[in-house]
Amino acid sequence: IYTLSLHDALPIFLSNLIENAIKYSGEEVDIDIVVLWNQQRVELTVSDNGFGIAPDERRKVFDKFYRSSHLPDKQIPGIGLGLSYVRQIVEAHHGSVSLRSELGEGTRITINLPTTAL
């Protein structure tokens, strides 16, 4: 992961965030993607209207192989690596990842990167 350029990694973590938003949104999917760009930073936010993440699990979702125990449908595919990879890629390029979520109200993941990383 650490050897990927951000140019190569960007499609990987963007597709992961979008796939997660779709998988964890149930039947009615509503996803917003917002990109803010200035001379110093790029901020990319992916928001969904999905199941949300319980307060006790918000930090854990970025750990390798972590899967929520609060999912209404335990048959959602995945092994819990996607957000871990997103965090590793972003941090390797001197950026940060933040998460806001409420159960039943969806999740918003924001990635901040310095423009020098691009």
Side-chain angles (χ1 to χ4, degrees):
I1 291 289
Y2 294 106
T3 60
L4 286 176
S5 72
L6 189 58
H7 180 267
D8 294 333
L10 185 63
I12 294 170
F13 69 70
L14 183 55
S15 67
N16 179 271
L17 294 177
I18 293 169
E19 287 174 19
N20 278 357
I22 293 168
K23 282 194 307 190
Y24 298 104
S25 285
E27 292 184 25
E28 292 190 32
V29 178
D30 183 14
I31 299 170
D32 291 316
I33 301 170
V34 176
V35 178
L36 302 173
W37 189 305
N38 65 37
Q39 290 187 358
Q40 289 82 33
R41 306 219 41 95
V42 174
E43 181 180 283
L44 168 71
T45 301
V46 177
S47 303
D48 65 56
N49 65 327
F51 307 130
I53 301 168
D56 62 321
E57 294 189 322
R58 290 184 192 139
R59 286 190 180 267
K60 298 174 190 175
V61 297
F62 292 101
D63 294 345
K64 284 184 178 179
F65 304 112
Y66 185 78
R67 300 272 299 171
S68 175
S69 61
H70 296 288
L71 293 176
D73 179 1
K74 301 291 186 196
Q75 301 304 312
I76 294 173
I79 59 171
L81 285 175
L83 289 179
S84 171
Y85 286 152
V86 168
R87 183 179 64 185
Q88 287 179 4
I89 292 167
V90 170
E91 289 178 353
H93 292 90
H94 310 288
S96 63
V97 179
S98 62
L99 176 141
R100 292 186 68 192
S101 186
E102 294 294 330
L103 281 176
E105 296 182 21
T107 300
R108 178 172 61 197
I109 296 180
T110 300
I111 294 169
N112 277 286
L113 290 162
T115 55
T116 55
L118 304 173

